[in-house]
Amino acid sequence: MKKTCLPRQRSTVLTALATVAALGLGMGAAAQNYPVTSQQRATAQQAAQTGVPLGELAPGAPDEYTVKSGDTLWAISRLYLRSPWRWPELWGMNLDDIANPHRIYPGQVLYLDKSGGRARLSTRRGAGGSGDGGTIKLSPRTRSESLSGLALPTLNPSLIEPFLSEPIVVDEGTLLAAPRIVAGNDSRVLLARGDRAYARGEPNAPLIDAGGPQKTFRVFRNATPLKDPGTGEILGYEAQYLGKALLQRGESVAQVLEDGKAVSTVVPATVDIVAAREEIRAGDRLLPEPARQLLSYVPRAPAQPFNGRIVSVYGNAVQFAAQNQVVAINKGLRDGIENGHVLAILKNGETIVDRTGGSKETLKLPNERIGLLMVFRPFERVSYALVLEINDTPRVGDLLVNP
């Protein structure tokens, strides 16, 4: 329960509550209590002082909007701005009321003031422009709210969170050196959730139980090479995620009799399959479950120019991607790519033969912008990105540039 407060105090109280929730709820929407960079704050402060040119507003930007449960910061930015990745300007439009863009809550009402040829956004009616908006009489009231789900997520978390632990890009030798499943219990060939299996590591790196918290492993198969569509360079190997396993007992050595003699033999480690996306079998590899990280997905344009390409569509043998689908791109940490970078997708114009002028002439059609994607998991030379918006069908090989 929150203490009785005036409406003007509500933002401060909710901010404090959401901070507490972030500590206790981990990856919940309320946990997105991220700092902002000095450049983003400077952009917001300028927008707060001068407003945003009316030409930057999205067509049909509402004069009044009540934030709803299920909204995202991207959707609200798209509602008000032609370029939703320019979120600091949207934030700056109501900087006096919301000190952090990650602190927008269901139930808040956003008011758009367009006086003086500039746009300003506020959580108080008539707060912008030259008018004082009149006098509003405030009455104390008490209201209880759940701590979970207060702050809006930047994007729908269900679209991204599975990819934080499931797909992985590795170098050529990582999976080959990882522990492998050697057999299933009761001679089972195909394993599913609830089954017991046996695994072992390489001779110089046995799969042992070192004590402490129980170890969780992810199960992978088939390291597929990811090739740069332009250069043919192998950027990494994408491992197919199959499920999760818990280590119950580590490898050991036992003495058995062979021809009347005691011989040392390896006893494989015991693991239990606790999650399975596909059937698991002998030969599949185990990699330790990484610690879950709290990451920021604030959509923004890269500071430096980028030119990249779509490498693959995740989980499909097809060449085409749909909205809200995940793709791999040929840019990564070595290229300066970061979580939240937004890139425009350009359809690579076809090369045609012009026969309309009486002679044959080869022409290259112009590249056309067909959508946006956002990077959410960069590796060294390749990154996973979410397709945010499309007006045509992106495909492997399409170009990527600054938005």
Side-chain angles (χ1 to χ4, degrees):
M1 298 286 290
K2 298 200 303 285
K3 293 182 179 180
T4 301
C5 60
L6 296 177
R8 285 288 302 277
Q9 298 170 315
R10 181 172 181 269
S11 178
T12 303
V13 174
L14 285 175
T15 299
L17 285 174
T19 302
V20 174
L23 295 175
L25 297 177
M27 285 295 297
Q32 298 198 33
N33 185 26
Y34 307 114
V36 293
T37 67
S38 57
Q39 180 181 358
Q40 292 164 349
R41 184 172 294 279
T43 302
Q45 289 172 341
Q46 179 180 359
Q49 294 171 1
T50 64
V52 174
L54 296 183
E56 296 295 330
L57 290 178
D63 293 330
E64 181 178 322
Y65 180 76
T66 301
V67 180
K68 303 183 298 293
S69 178
D71 278 342
T72 63
L73 295 180
W74 176 267
I76 291 177
S77 296
R78 167 59 73 189
L79 191 66
Y80 280 99
L81 294 174
R82 291 182 181 272
S83 305
W85 62 90
R86 296 171 64 175
W87 65 270
E89 297 180 37
L90 178 68
W91 169 36
M93 291 166 70
N94 63 348
L95 189 60
D96 290 339
D97 298 306
I98 299 175
N100 189 312
H102 303 284
R103 291 289 169 250
I104 299 179
Y105 306 91
Q108 284 183 320
V109 181
L110 306 178
Y111 299 102
L112 181 63
D113 173 62
K114 294 183 284 189
S115 60
R118 309 286 288 189
R120 296 172 180 83
L121 199 64
S122 175
T123 55
R124 292 172 291 149
R125 188 189 300 273
S130 57
D132 61 10
T135 301
I136 302 176
K137 182 178 181 181
L138 304 178
S139 300
R141 58 181 179 178
T142 302
R143 183 171 71 180
S144 62
E145 290 182 336
S146 169
L147 288 177
S148 63
L150 283 177
L152 297 189
T154 305
L155 300 168
N156 184 346
S158 66
L159 301 176
I160 291 179
E161 286 186 7
F163 291 90
L164 299 181
S165 59
E166 293 182 4
I168 187 172
V169 175
V170 296
D171 57 40
E172 187 174 12
T174 297
L175 279 188
L176 294 177
R180 65 191 184 277
I181 293 176
V182 296
N185 195 22
D186 296 329
S187 301
R188 293 183 180 178
V189 177
L190 300 178
L191 304 171
R193 180 180 177 183
D195 288 340
R196 174 155 286 191
Y198 305 102
R200 63 174 303 190
E202 295 299 305
N204 60 344
L207 182 55
I208 61 174
D209 186 354
Q214 192 171 25
K215 291 184 179 179
T216 303
F217 290 86
R218 295 174 295 167
V219 187
F220 292 99
R221 181 190 302 152
N222 297 342
T224 304
L226 296 174
K227 292 185 178 181
D228 190 305
T231 65
E233 176 190 7
I234 295 180
L235 303 171
Y237 292 81
E238 184 177 70
Q240 178 186 359
Y241 172 82
L242 302 175
K244 293 183 181 182
L246 283 178
L247 179 64
Q248 300 294 347
R249 290 188 297 267
E251 287 185 54
S252 60
V253 176
Q255 300 292 321
V256 298
L257 290 176
E258 289 186 4
D259 299 328
K261 296 181 180 180
V263 178
S264 296
T265 185
V266 173
V267 178
T270 301
V271 297
D272 286 338
I273 307 300
V274 295
R277 171 170 288 184
E278 297 183 25
E279 291 176 324
I280 296 169
R281 59 177 184 252
D284 291 336
R285 300 286 177 161
L286 304 175
L287 290 175
E289 174 93 25
R292 200 166 191 184
Q293 297 179 334
L294 185 62
L295 300 175
S296 172
Y297 306 116
V298 180
R300 63 194 186 279
Q304 68 272 39
F306 273 104
N307 289 282
R309 303 183 83 167
I310 295 177
V311 172
S312 68
V313 179
Y314 181 76
N316 287 294
V318 298
Q319 297 288 303
F320 300 94
Q323 188 164 321
N324 295 331
Q325 201 159 10
V326 171
V327 298
I329 69 172
N330 67 342
K331 297 295 180 182
L333 296 172
R334 69 173 183 178
D335 307 295
I337 282 287
E338 300 175 0
N339 284 325
H341 275 170
V342 174
L343 297 171
I345 307 170
L346 300 183
K347 183 177 181 178
N348 198 359
E350 297 180 54
T351 300
I352 64 170
V353 176
D354 179 19
R355 295 182 173 88
T356 62
S359 62
K360 296 181 181 180
E361 185 178 359
T362 301
L363 302 178
K364 169 70 166 63
L365 298 182
N367 300 328
E368 297 288 351
R369 177 168 168 161
I370 60 172
L372 294 170
L373 58 74
M374 187 199 77
V375 172
F376 67 88
R377 194 180 183 199
F379 296 90
E380 184 62 25
R381 296 185 293 175
V382 66
S383 300
Y384 286 127
L386 179 70
V387 178
L388 295 172
E389 300 175 2
I390 56 173
N391 52 37
D392 199 343
T393 305
R395 60 178 298 166
V396 171
D398 277 349
L399 308 175
L400 304 172
V401 298
N402 291 55

